[in-house]
Each structure stands twice: as structure tokens, then as C-alpha cells.
Amino acid sequence: MSEIVERTLSALPGLILQDPAPGTGSKLGSLIRSITALSSRQEEEKLIQQELANLKTTVSSPTTTLRQMKECMVRLIYCEMLGYEASFGYIHAIKLAQQGNLLEKRVGYLAVSLFLHENHELLLLLVNTVLKDLQSTNLVEVCMALTVVSQIFPREMIPAALPLIEDKLQHSKEIVRRKAVLALYKFYLIAPTQVQHIHEKFRKALCDRDVGVMAASLHIYLQVIKDNPSGYKDLTGSFVTILKQVVGGKLPVDFNYHSVPAPWLQIHLLRILRLLGKDDPGASQLIYDVLDESLRRAEINHNVTYAILFECVQTIYTIYPKSDLFEKAAKCIGKFVLSPKINLKYLGLKALTYVIQQDPNLALQHQMTIIECLDHPDPIIKRETLELLYRITNEQNVTVIVQKMLDYLKQSKDEYTVIALVGKIADLAEKYSPNNQWFVETMNVVFSIGGDLVHPDIPNNFLRLLAEGFGDEKEDGQLRLYAVQSYLALLEIENVYYPQRFLQVISWVLGEYSYLAKQVPTESVISKLHSVLLKSSRTSETAAWIMAAITKLAAITPHSSLVDQLIQEFSTCLDTGMRQQACELKALWEDRPLMHRLLPLNSCCEDLVVDASLSFMDGFVAEALSTGAAPYKPQHQRQEEKLSREKALNLEPYGLCFSPSLPSINLADGHSPSAVSVLSEVSGNSGETGQKEENRLKMEGIRKVWGKEGYLLKKESKVSKPESISPPLESGISMGDDEEPVDTPAEPSVELISEEERAKKKLASTLFVGLSSNAVSLMGKPDQTTQKFKRKSKFGKKEDTQLLYSPGEQDHMALMLPNDVSSVSSRLLASQTVEEKSINGKVSSLFANTNLETFQPTQGASTILSVPSLLPELAQHSHSAVTELACCATLMLYSSKVWTGDSLVLAVLIVNPTRSAIKNINLQMEGSEILKVSDSLCCQISHLKASGVHHCWGAVHPAHPCKNEILSGCVTYLPESEVPSQLDFSLHFVLSDFIRPLTISTEEFGKMWLTLSNEVKEKIQIFSPQQSLLEVLLVVQQALNFYVVEIIGDEGIAACQLIPSVPSLLHCHLQEGMLVVWIRSLSSTLSDYLLDLCQSALKEP
């Protein structure tokens, strides 16, 4: 019976569009077709407005039947989905839910749930209907009522519905119990105190015989355990048992997704166990086995298994640590980070960001991949990489990481990204600034680029730092003096727009500390501020800051004609605020002793004596009371009177419902800029309620990002560079796009790697310097107690360790490399280029101050070796260049792909660069489910002489078609030091490595075409429409490696095969600048991959 009910409910949405009345069932279809045929937004708006007018007339007519009303509701829903308001139909949707039969009631409930939000005033009219349907004997009505309750229900009416929903937990039908649990979950989210008494019933739902009810209860438990983990520790064993049953495939097959048993159930259970096992060795001990089992079984290459693996990794690094699980989690993260798929790479970066404080070695192992992600075309990958770098910032790499963030900030146009990055940069500058000059210049760039999107707390905190100082008068004076000189230089630049908040910072600093610049006359400073005050771009708030600064400067100026001019100019200003400040300045200017008492020099941090009783106003108050003014009422009395008025009947019409905004953050709250950035991201959703009130999708001004050809912004970035929104600053921080790191000139040497790779390694050496796992115990939690505003210790102390570069006087953000690399073992090696004076040493590690093994050259180390060559029997075939696969001071690996007619041969060259023999070399290479590796690639070498080369080669063949695949391996060996060593490596394979031309005739092509059933067909835009079909096929042939069978006019046929013998046939037709590609193959997956390669090959070069 339950299956019949389930099928009935699932069929209801399909029945919504069906109407037996003649001529009415096609109205929605006609509307959709009419809108689809339009060519402009204006035409669409005109058509929708006409349709809404007709619908308003129809639903308001007393002769409209419920069946017609149902059809009108469907069209109203569609109009609302397009972003057009149809508020006139809201009340009719409620009436339809109250009066109709099952199908009409279903449409009414659906319309109400889409039209209204849970705070809408009309929703109260539906409460009585919901309560009546909850008590109905009709199963469908009960289910519809429970569905509406779990979506939208007034908070104040929960007590009326709660007893009825509690009773439904004992219902005989599984679907009713499941929906009742979800309704209670909704109640817990909006009013947790009102469902505290039924937690025992939640436990019964967890043990329900129906899997769906149990799964629904996990939503509640995830939330309550977040709020109070210690109260549910006794359920840890139960959740572990459930997860074991799920992972073991004990649930019905209906819960499987792509052969993965109940993946979303696994994710919920892992999140719950993560909360229960945090800092609890006993609970964690129960979780270890099931975590290991989940990792082992999640091996299917599918997105949902990647999600499970990601949750497992987070759980492993959250619960009480266990070393062998750490190793498995690290391997899993490595697969994610090294994956060519963007989604998996993002997961890897997200996982690295999550675990970086506990295991910094993971970032060290994937340093070059992280560097490549900084230049990734996907902005989400870039942003997550910057978040990872933010987590690993220290005093040694802060300048490089901040520069990377600033570079991204200059290119970003997204408001919330700018707000978040500005907060992070300000936080890093305050925590790890190497010197005062760099700190001021960095904050100047932040204010310039961030503009008015900068949260008010950031400039306020900056000014408080300048005012309070660090306890060292000399250092504080130098910091303030440099800030004054910096801002005076900025005001010298003409025709430059500065953001308002930056101008406010400049005016405050000059007003307080310009006297420190003794060589600059005060009159000159007032003149500069006056010129800013006269600009039309300044706001009233900024003008108030500037006037306050000029008033302070006037106190230290005996005579100034400019002050007299300013008083005369603004005393008659239309701006009342400016006029008031000008009059105050005039009064003080005429009474110099009073002015000096009110505005003493350098008194911004002095405590003000405040008369809290306001005794100076006693006379004014007495006079006002005598004339009939109302006496003062304390706040609590006013509050009581307000509440008493609210209890009275309110006859005023309802006002608009606005969403609450985030409260303003005061300086006293102590929020750091990083916290401000987080709050700003949260505030992005604060308008959600108000948006639903409007019920309108605002698409004006939305930039088109995705199209048929993929991500459109990639192409734009190639032809245009982002405009710089920041003014030119006379500081060491680059504001342009063309500044590049300054490399230290090196003497000529044999280059083993490309310039691009060397530049990446230089960047890696500066980004990851100082990152060490010695400071973090893997078996315990990190102790990070960096506090804000304690910058005295950083600015005043001298570093014990020498940095890779020292900030100079004018160029603080450029990457300076040391000229002397003789001490390369204790610092970062920026590239593989070796100077003559250090040619006897080779360091493989890119990091210093870490616990990674740093290989030192032996006394007998040889000079740099040239790249070895392939054996003649392999070199006679087409092959890739011999490239470095992995290397260290005692062993080097090279590889090359050799493409023979029926196989792919992988050649691995093992090179001994030292002058001593290496023993017991064991090369191991693991295959995968997709790629199989011949046994000859797993070889053992008992002895490799000094400067010797050993060749290993073997076939790699695909078991299934693959677009991208990575194979990993390792080499273990015993060097002269007799310490066993291991060198890991990985190889990347693509589909074209396994595609070979298939030489057939036209007749054979025709016969084979009929035998292949898996086909795809697509039209592909050609970059140059003037190209002939032959030219187009030559371009595609470079990617697919096919054999062109025949070309007749604008049509051509080609053939290829996936080794060893999986044929694929292509039929191409060139018409009107489009290439119609028709591919048939024995494998549907192979057809899709070949089509992707065709599209990639024909993209704009």
C-alpha cells in the first residue's frame, strides 16, 4: 500500500499540467512557447504583463471554477519563476488550498509555498487549513499538510500544530512518520525551545524500522549535536553501528546511488561522528574502524564517492588523532590536489585548508601544485588557494602572500570577494608586518584598492594602532612620521581619485601628526586638505573629517589666511553640518586660549573627563520644564509603555517586511579584520527574506559568464587586462600589472628545467618559507595564540633566522633573491639554476626550517649531468621529450612516452648523479582500474654504478576509456650513506596517448558504421569560418590522431581506434561556420570523450 501512495504522490506534479477541460490544458504550453519565441527582454516583459492582467481578471471573476483557478495558479507560478510579481494571486492560492479537491489543493499548497515566506502576514490564513488536514483520515491530505509545515509555517503557531505532528510519529505509514520528523526538524530550526520535551521521540525515530524515517531523524541529530555534543555521547555506538550497516550494503538497493550505498546518509553520519569524536579519545576509538572501512570502500570514481572521501578526511582530522588514518587521509588529499578535474582540485585545496594547521607537511608535499593553482583560470580555485596561503602565513612569507592577495584583489570585480580579501590582508599586515614602513604602505594599498567596500572597522583599527602605539616612543614616532610623509606625497598627485574612507584616514593622520614633519609648513598641509575639501567627489562625511583635521591644524598655526578664507567660505554653506563646523572653528579661532585647551598637541589617546550627570544642563532643563516640556523618562519606563501600546489593537495597515541587517560592529567589540571578512560573507545572505518579499528576480546588469562554448570570461581575460582601480602610490607596493619579481642575476649554467618551472619554484620557496610541522604535533591540537594589535614584539625584535629577502627602502614587495647561495642548505633554493661558486652542492628540497629531509651533497658528488637519451630501439618511434620525473641529491628519474602502432610504451630512466654506487634499487609502479601497467615497469637493480643510467620500459594500456588519469609509483634504494631512501613520482596520461589512426577504405567505413551503436552528434563553432574542411580536420587531427578516409566537398569521414582495438568513426560536415561532428564507437564513454577533444581542438587559439 505504501508503494501505491508513493507513486501517487510522485505522479501529482505531472498531473498539475493536465486539465480535462477542452482548450485549457494548452494555455501554459502556449505561454511558454510565446516567451521562448521572443527576442528581447522588453518583449517578454510586455507579454508577461499582458498575461498577468488577463490572469488577474480571471481569478477575480466570481464565475471562475476551481478547475480554472488551478490552471491559473500554474501560470502564475511560472510568471513568478520568471521574476514578475503576481501578488494579486496570493490570496487565491490560499483559497484554492482551502476549498479544492486533492489535485486542486495540491496546486494551492504548492503555490503558497512558492509565493509566501514564513513571515508573510497572509500565511496565518492557512494555519486553520493545515490543522484540519493534519487531522484528516485521507493520507494524501496529511502528507500535503506535513510538507507545507516543513517548508513554511508561522513560528507563533507552532504550539497549535505540535501535538498533531507528535501523534504522526506513531502513524502506521512510513511516509507520514518521515514527513513528521522533517516537520519537527523545521520546528527545531526556528524555535528549538518548543521541541525540547520530545527528544525521546527523536530517539525512537532513529531506531525506526523504516530507513527513510531513520535518515530523516539524522537531520535533527546533526543540529542538536552541533548545539550540545556532550549530551549525546551515549549515542556514538548507535551511529557507528548504523554507518557500518550502510557501508556494508545492508540497506535496500533503492538507497544506492551509482552503486554507492546511501551516500548522503553516509555523509550525515560522518558529520555527526565528527562532532561526537572531537577531543574525545573514547568516542574516537569507536569511530576508527568504521572510518577505515568507509575510506576503503569509497573507491568508485564518481563525484558522490569523492564527497564521502572528503567528509572522511575532515572527520579524521577532527576527532582524536590516529597516525595510520592520517596517512590514508593524506594520500586521499594528494589524489584530490593532483587531479586534473577542477571539482576534485577544489576539494583537495579545501581539505588542505582545513588540515593545514595540524599537518603542514601536506602543503609542503604539494607546493608546486599550489603554485600552479594561483594561476588557474577558474576564479574559485584561485580564491581557495589564497585562503590556503592565508592559513600558512608567518613572519617570513607574509610579504609574498600579501602581494599575491593584492594582485588577485586588483583583478577581482566581485564585491564580497573584495570585502573578504581586504579583511584578510589587513589581518596579516597587523599580525606579521616585518617593519613599520611595509605596514603603512600595505594598508595604503588596501584602502586604495578596497575603496569604500572596506569595512569601517579596518580603518578604525589602523588609526587606533597609530594612536596607541606600541610602548616605544621612538618607534611610534617613526611610524607616525612615515604615515604623514606617505599621505602628503599622495596628496601631491593631481587628478587621482581616492576612496572616501582612505581620505578620512589621510585627514585624521594629518590632523593629528603632521607636526612631526617639521620640514613641511602647517599652512601647506592645510592647503592640501582644503583642495580635497573643494572637490565635488567628496561626501559630507569625508568633509566633516577634513574640517576636523583643519581645526586641529589651526590650533598649532598662529596666523593663517587660508583658515580665514575657509571660515568665510563655509559659514554660509547650505550643508548644515559644514556650516556648524565652520562656525565652531570661527569661535575657536577668535579665542586662542580656549582653542589650545580644547585641542592640545598629540592628545588623541588622553582620557576625557566626562560629566555623566550632565549638571551643566540643569538650568536649561529647569527652564524647559517651567514652559511645559515633558519630564525625562528612564529607558525601562519607555520600554514598558511601548509594550503596553503594542498589546492594544493595532489598526494601522501592514508595512513592508524588511530583512534584518547585521548589527554594526564597534571598535570595542574587538573584531579583527578577518572576523569582519567572515561577517561580510554571512551578510551576503541577510537580504534573503526581503528578496522573497519582493518575489522578483532582478537580472538587469547580470554579466553572462557561461555559454555554449563554456566559461566565457577565459577568452576575455586573454584579450583584455583588468583595469587598475588604484591610484599610483609613491610606495614600494606595485600598483600596476606589469611589475615582475626581480631575479638575482646568475652566472651561465646548464639549465635542467624551463624558465616557467624555475619561476614557480622561486615563488614556492618564498611562499612556504618558515612553514614547519615541528610547531604542530600530529597527535595533539595546534597552539596558536597570535593576538591582534601586539605588534611591538614584531617590530622591535630582530629575527634569529635570515630571511630569503630583506625589505628595502623603496621596493618592499619585490621578490629579492640572494646573490650568495653558498648557505643554500639553511635557506630556500629559489631555482634549479646553479652558480659556479656553488656548483659542488645540489639541494633538492625547496624548503628550509621544516622537518622535511634536506639532502646534502656527498664529497664525491659530480657536476650537473645532461639529460639522458632513449635507447635506439625506442627512439626510432614517435616519442615525447625525455623530462625529469623526480630527483634528489642521490638519484634522478626521467621518463618519456613512446607511441608505437598498437601500444603506449613508458620508458623510465634511473640516473645516479653521484660518484658512488647505489644499491638495491627497486622501482614500483601501480596501475589503476582504468590503466594497466606491464610487469616490466616494476624492476629491481642490485647495483648502479656512479654516473650510471638504467633503462626500464613497459606497456601501459587502458582497460576503459579515460580522459585523464594519473599513475603513481616510487623508487626505494640504498645510497652510499647506507640510509634507506625513497623517491615518489607520478605520471599524467591523457586519452590522446592511447588513440591511433585506423586505416580503412570508404567501403569498410560504411560497413563498420552500421555495426557501431553508440553515437553522439554535435555542432561546433569554428573560430575561423573561412577555413576549408581539410584545414579544420588537420586541426582536429592533432588532438585525435585519426586517419582521414575521404573528403568530398564540405563532408569528410575519418577513423581512429583506442588501443588495442576499439574503433571509432567520425563523420564531419562543414556548414555556415559550424562543424557538425557525428561520432560512432563501441563505447558510449569513448564517443563523449572524443567529442570533447574535438571541441577543445576547435576552440579559439
Side-chain angles (χ1 to χ4, degrees):
M1 182 63 184
S2 61
E3 294 182 2
I4 297 176
V5 174
E6 291 279 4
R7 291 178 182 176
T8 303
L9 291 176
S10 62
L12 282 178
L15 296 174
I16 289 177
L17 300 181
Q18 300 179 7
D19 197 325
T24 59
S26 60
K27 289 185 178 180
L28 176 63
S30 300
L31 175 62
I32 295 175
R33 285 191 293 271
S34 300
I35 294 176
T36 307
L38 299 178
S39 58
S40 67
R41 175 77 176 181
Q42 291 76 14
E43 293 177 356
E44 176 190 310
E45 185 173 354
K46 182 178 179 181
L47 177 62
I48 294 296
Q49 294 299 337
Q50 182 180 355
E51 179 70 17
L52 289 175
N54 295 337
L55 287 172
K56 186 175 183 179
T57 304
T58 304
V59 298
S60 302
S61 174
T63 60
T64 303
T65 64
L66 291 178
R67 180 172 295 177
Q68 293 172 334
M69 188 68 71
K70 181 205 70 166
E71 193 269 339
C72 290
M73 280 300 125
V74 176
R75 288 152 62 194
L76 280 175
I77 290 173
Y78 185 72
C79 292
E80 284 264 341
M81 289 170 58
L82 292 178
Y84 297 91
E85 185 182 7
S87 57
F88 63 86
Y90 296 174
I91 188 65
H92 298 286
I94 294 176
K95 289 180 180 179
L96 188 63
Q98 293 171 340
Q99 301 173 0
N101 56 30
L102 283 179
L103 185 55
E104 293 157 356
K105 183 185 287 287
R106 168 63 177 164
V107 176
Y109 272 134
L110 175 63
V112 168
S113 63
L114 294 176
F115 290 161
L116 308 182
H117 55 81
E118 57 189 19
N119 294 323
H120 202 285
E121 58 268 17
L122 289 180
L123 196 58
L124 291 174
L125 302 177
L126 193 67
V127 172
N128 193 42
T129 304
V130 172
L131 297 179
K132 183 182 69 174
D133 288 342
L134 285 175
Q135 303 174 62
S136 173
T137 56
N138 190 312
L139 182 63
V140 178
E141 289 184 349
V142 174
C143 290
M144 287 191 293
L146 287 173
T147 301
V148 170
V149 167
S150 62
Q151 292 178 346
I152 52 171
F153 200 74
R155 178 177 180 175
E156 59 272 15
M157 299 306 297
I158 288 179
L162 188 57
L164 298 175
I165 296 177
E166 284 185 56
D167 293 340
K168 296 300 180 286
L169 292 174
Q170 310 298 327
H171 202 278
S172 58
K173 298 300 180 184
E174 298 85 355
I175 186 174
V176 175
R177 299 200 301 273
R178 188 187 317 159
K179 289 181 177 292
V181 171
L182 292 176
L184 292 175
Y185 171 61
K186 176 68 173 180
F187 287 174
Y188 182 83
L189 292 179
I190 61 178
T193 57
Q194 299 191 27
V195 294
Q196 292 290 344
H197 63 286
I198 57 174
H199 279 204
E200 286 301 321
K201 295 185 179 181
F202 294 162
R203 297 195 177 220
K204 292 181 180 179
L206 183 64
C207 303
D208 196 277
R209 60 182 179 274
D210 182 71
V211 179
V213 179
M214 180 270 295
S217 68
L218 293 181
H219 292 277
I220 298 177
Y221 274 107
L222 179 59
Q223 195 65 38
V224 297
I225 291 174
K226 278 182 182 178
D227 300 336
N228 181 25
S230 59
Y232 298 90
K233 294 285 186 180
D234 58 318
L235 291 178
T236 304
S238 301
F239 290 121
V240 169
T241 303
I242 295 173
L243 183 56
K244 284 182 179 178
Q245 294 178 357
V246 174
V247 173
K250 302 296 180 61
L251 299 189
V253 183
D254 295 341
F255 287 88
N256 289 3
Y257 179 76
H258 287 269
S259 302
V260 180
W264 288 274
L265 198 57
Q266 290 190 51
I267 290 173
H268 265 84
L269 288 167
L270 287 169
R271 290 175 178 174
I272 291 172
L273 293 176
R274 182 191 316 161
L275 297 171
L276 293 173
K278 185 177 182 181
D279 299 328
D280 188 338
S284 300
Q285 191 66 36
L286 299 174
I287 303 172
Y288 291 150
D289 292 340
V290 72
L291 265 180
D292 195 5
E293 183 71 10
S294 298
L295 281 173
R296 188 177 64 82
R297 289 182 177 266
E299 295 177 350
I300 303 174
N301 290 329
H302 195 273
N303 285 340
V304 75
T305 60
Y306 301 144
I308 295 174
L309 289 174
F310 179 73
E311 294 295 335
C312 287
V313 169
Q314 284 192 304
T315 304
I316 289 171
Y317 280 93
T318 302
I319 65 175
Y320 197 78
K322 188 179 181 183
S323 56
D324 58 340
L325 285 179
F326 272 176
E327 294 176 2
K328 295 179 180 180
K331 184 177 180 182
C332 182
I333 293 176
K335 289 182 179 179
F336 284 162
V337 173
L338 296 174
S339 173
K341 298 180 180 178
I342 293 179
N343 290 338
L344 296 188
K345 192 177 289 295
Y346 174 78
L347 272 186
L349 292 172
K350 197 79 175 175
L352 272 179
T353 304
Y354 183 80
V355 307
I356 193 65
Q357 295 299 333
Q358 299 183 47
D359 196 355
N361 276 339
L362 285 179
L364 300 177
Q365 294 169 13
H366 304 292
Q367 49 182 316
M368 297 311 300
T369 305
I370 295 173
I371 298 303
E372 292 174 357
C373 290
L374 285 173
D375 299 323
H376 201 280
D378 193 301
I380 303 299
I381 298 292
K382 275 187 179 180
R383 193 162 59 196
E384 191 59 36
T385 306
L386 291 176
E387 177 67 27
L388 172 62
L389 295 178
Y390 171 73
R391 299 291 182 91
I392 64 173
T393 306
N394 53 53
E395 294 179 0
Q396 300 181 51
N397 61 12
V398 62
T399 52
V400 186
I401 290 179
V402 166
Q403 182 61 51
K404 285 294 174 184
M405 289 183 173
L406 291 173
D407 292 341
Y408 183 77
L409 192 62
K410 287 186 283 187
Q411 300 174 9
S412 178
K413 304 298 181 184
D414 180 62
E415 176 179 340
Y416 298 105
T417 301
V418 171
I419 293 173
L421 266 183
V422 161
K424 289 182 174 65
I425 294 171
D427 188 25
L428 295 179
E430 291 175 11
K431 284 182 179 178
Y432 305 115
S433 176
N435 56 59
N436 293 340
Q437 187 175 354
W438 182 90
F439 173 67
V440 172
E441 291 175 352
T442 301
M443 295 306 297
N444 290 351
V445 179
V446 167
F447 296 141
S448 300
I449 300 178
D452 295 326
L453 296 177
V454 176
H455 195 277
D457 270 8
I458 295 177
N460 289 348
N461 290 343
F462 173 69
L463 296 180
R464 192 171 81 176
L465 277 173
L466 289 178
E468 294 179 353
F470 318 108
D472 186 340
E473 290 297 330
K474 182 179 179 181
E475 182 182 347
D476 296 344
Q478 291 176 353
L479 174 62
R480 294 162 185 164
L481 175 60
Y482 184 78
V484 169
Q485 293 172 342
S486 168
Y487 296 147
L488 288 175
L490 292 179
L491 293 182
E492 290 286 348
I493 306 174
E494 299 180 356
N495 301 324
V496 176
Y497 171 79
Y498 294 107
Q500 299 301 309
R501 291 214 170 118
F502 194 19
L503 289 175
Q504 294 166 15
V505 170
I506 292 175
S507 59
W508 188 91
V509 172
L510 294 180
E512 290 289 340
Y513 301 115
S514 62
Y515 69 91
L516 295 174
K518 302 185 183 302
Q519 72 281 8
V520 180
T522 306
E523 185 80 7
S524 174
V525 179
I526 296 177
S527 175
K528 289 181 172 61
L529 291 175
H530 181 249
S531 62
V532 176
L533 192 60
L534 296 178
K535 290 184 178 180
S536 59
S537 59
R538 57 88 178 155
T539 62
S540 299
E541 182 182 3
T542 303
W545 282 72
I546 297 175
M547 281 294 293
I550 293 176
T551 303
K552 296 174 187 176
L553 293 172
I556 60 175
T557 305
H559 303 284
S560 175
S561 59
L562 190 57
V563 173
D564 295 330
Q565 176 187 344
L566 188 144
I567 292 173
Q568 182 179 2
E569 181 178 351
F570 288 98
S571 295
T572 57
C573 178
L574 295 178
D575 188 335
T576 55
M578 289 293 296
R579 189 165 65 249
Q580 177 183 346
Q581 285 187 296
C583 293
E584 292 173 354
L585 175 59
K586 180 180 179 182
L588 293 175
W589 186 249
E590 294 173 353
D591 190 347
R592 302 293 295 180
L594 175 62
M595 192 174 200
H596 288 300
R597 289 201 310 271
L598 287 178
L599 302 173
L601 202 61
N602 192 17
S603 60
C604 60
C605 292
E606 292 184 2
D607 294 332
L608 299 177
V609 180
V610 179
D611 184 3
S613 64
L614 304 180
S615 59
F616 59 90
M617 296 186 65
D618 289 344
F620 173 79
V621 172
E623 182 182 353
L625 289 174
S626 63
T627 57
Y632 172 76
K633 295 179 182 179
Q635 184 179 3
H636 64 87
Q637 185 178 348
R638 297 197 304 270
Q639 192 73 14
E640 291 175 358
E641 292 180 359
K642 180 181 178 182
L643 292 175
S644 63
R645 287 196 303 269
E646 289 179 352
K647 291 180 180 179
L649 191 61
N650 184 11
L651 300 179
E652 294 295 327
Y654 287 108
L656 292 177
C657 179
F658 295 99
S659 60
S661 60
L662 284 174
S664 61
I665 303 173
N666 199 341
L667 270 177
D669 295 336
H671 289 280
S672 66
S674 59
V676 171
S677 64
V678 174
L679 287 174
S680 64
E681 292 173 357
V682 175
S683 68
N685 298 326
S686 64
E688 191 172 349
T689 307
Q691 290 173 6
K692 195 166 185 180
E693 171 69 28
E694 292 181 1
N695 285 297
R696 179 183 295 272
L697 293 175
K698 300 188 178 185
M699 305 300 292
E700 293 84 6
I702 301 299
R703 190 177 186 183
K704 187 174 181 182
V705 177
W706 293 94
K708 291 183 178 180
E709 301 177 10
Y711 190 58
L712 302 179
L713 296 185
K714 283 184 183 178
K715 298 182 179 181
E716 296 180 9
S717 63
K718 294 179 181 178
V719 297
S720 64
K721 293 185 178 180
E723 296 181 0
S724 175
I725 61 173
S726 54
L729 302 178
E730 291 187 358
S731 67
I733 302 177
S734 169
M735 301 297 297
D737 294 326
D738 56 351
E739 182 175 343
E740 296 181 356
V742 181
D743 293 344
T744 300
E747 297 180 10
S749 61
V750 181
E751 294 188 4
L752 298 181
I753 57 177
S754 65
E755 291 290 337
E756 182 180 358
E757 288 297 321
R758 187 160 59 250
K760 289 180 180 179
K761 291 191 177 184
K762 288 180 182 178
L763 180 58
S765 66
T766 53
L767 286 177
F768 295 89
V769 62
L771 183 63
S772 172
S773 62
N774 293 333
V776 183
S777 172
L778 292 182
M779 302 305 294
K781 302 301 179 184
D783 183 18
Q784 187 176 6
T785 57
T786 304
Q787 296 183 2
K788 208 174 181 64
F789 303 132
K790 290 191 176 181
R791 295 178 56 252
K792 178 185 175 183
S793 60
K794 289 197 295 294
F795 283 1
K797 71 180 180 181
K798 294 183 179 180
E799 299 293 336
D800 295 332
T801 57
Q802 185 178 2
L803 297 180
L804 174 64
Y805 53 91
S806 300
E809 291 298 324
Q810 298 296 330
D811 193 6
H812 302 285
M813 301 302 292
L815 305 182
M816 302 297 295
L817 300 179
N819 291 323
D820 181 15
V821 294
S822 60
S823 60
V824 69
S825 60
S826 63
R827 56 180 16 164
L828 305 169
L829 181 61
S831 71
Q832 292 279 344
T833 304
V834 182
E835 298 184 357
E836 290 182 357
K837 56 186 174 183
S838 60
I839 202 168
N840 60 343
K842 180 178 179 62
V843 177
S844 62
S845 173
L846 291 178
F847 300 96
N849 302 325
T850 71
N851 67 336
L852 293 183
E853 182 179 2
T854 302
F855 294 96
Q856 298 293 342
T858 59
Q859 293 296 329
S862 64
T863 57
I864 297 177
L865 299 175
S866 60
V867 177
S869 303
L870 288 175
L871 294 175
E873 55 265 36
L874 296 177
Q876 65 182 351
H877 300 282
S878 299
H879 60 85
S880 65
V882 178
T883 57
E884 182 179 292
L885 187 59
C887 74
C888 65
T890 53
L891 192 70
M892 304 179 71
L893 294 180
Y894 293 84
S895 68
S896 175
K897 297 176 184 177
V898 181
W899 297 288
T900 64
D902 56 354
S903 65
L904 172 67
V905 177
L906 177 63
V908 179
L909 292 73
I910 305 174
V911 180
N912 178 7
T914 67
R915 294 183 178 178
S916 58
I918 299 178
K919 304 176 183 178
N920 301 335
I921 300 177
N922 185 13
L923 172 64
Q924 295 290 334
M925 191 164 180
E926 301 176 359
S928 64
E929 293 183 358
I930 297 178
L931 296 182
K932 304 300 179 183
V933 179
S934 64
D935 296 335
S936 59
L937 273 173
C938 298
C939 61
Q940 295 182 352
I941 310 168
S942 59
H943 181 273
L944 183 61
K945 65 181 181 179
S947 303
V949 180
H950 183 82
H951 296 260
C952 298
W953 66 92
V956 179
H957 57 89
H960 309 285
C962 66
K963 196 172 183 181
N964 294 282
E965 187 67 8
I966 294 177
L967 293 183
S968 58
C970 67
V971 176
T972 58
Y973 61 96
L974 193 66
E976 184 185 18
S977 61
E978 298 295 327
V979 178
S981 302
Q982 178 173 319
L983 190 61
D984 297 323
F985 63 89
S986 61
L987 285 158
H988 183 210
F989 297 86
V990 294
L991 179 62
S992 57
D993 290 332
F994 307 101
I995 296 296
R996 300 292 181 270
L998 179 60
T999 306
I1000 56 176
S1001 64
T1002 305
E1003 292 76 11
E1004 293 171 335
F1005 183 96
K1007 294 178 182 179
M1008 191 179 296
W1009 182 267
L1010 300 176
T1011 62
L1012 303 179
S1013 57
N1014 297 293
E1015 67 178 29
V1016 292
K1017 190 174 184 180
E1018 187 69 35
K1019 289 184 178 180
I1020 305 175
Q1021 181 73 39
I1022 299 176
F1023 174 66
S1024 178
Q1026 292 78 20
Q1027 288 181 311
S1028 64
L1029 179 60
L1030 178 60
E1031 294 173 334
V1032 173
L1033 288 181
L1034 290 176
V1035 174
V1036 180
Q1037 190 178 31
Q1038 296 178 3
L1040 289 190
N1041 195 22
F1042 54 67
Y1043 170 73
V1044 179
V1045 180
E1046 188 176 9
I1047 297 178
I1048 302 177
D1050 289 335
E1051 291 190 57
I1053 53 177
C1056 62
Q1057 64 177 346
L1058 177 70
I1059 57 175
S1061 58
V1062 182
S1064 296
L1065 303 181
L1066 290 83
H1067 179 275
C1068 304
H1069 184 202
L1070 188 64
Q1071 55 181 11
E1072 299 177 356
M1074 305 286 290
L1075 182 67
V1076 182
V1077 180
W1078 195 351
I1079 301 176
R1080 282 195 176 187
S1081 177
L1082 287 175
S1083 168
S1084 59
T1085 306
L1086 180 58
S1087 300
D1088 293 334
Y1089 287 165
L1090 292 176
L1091 181 60
D1092 289 344
L1093 289 178
C1094 288
Q1095 293 173 332
S1096 301
L1098 292 175
K1099 280 185 178 179
E1100 176 183 350

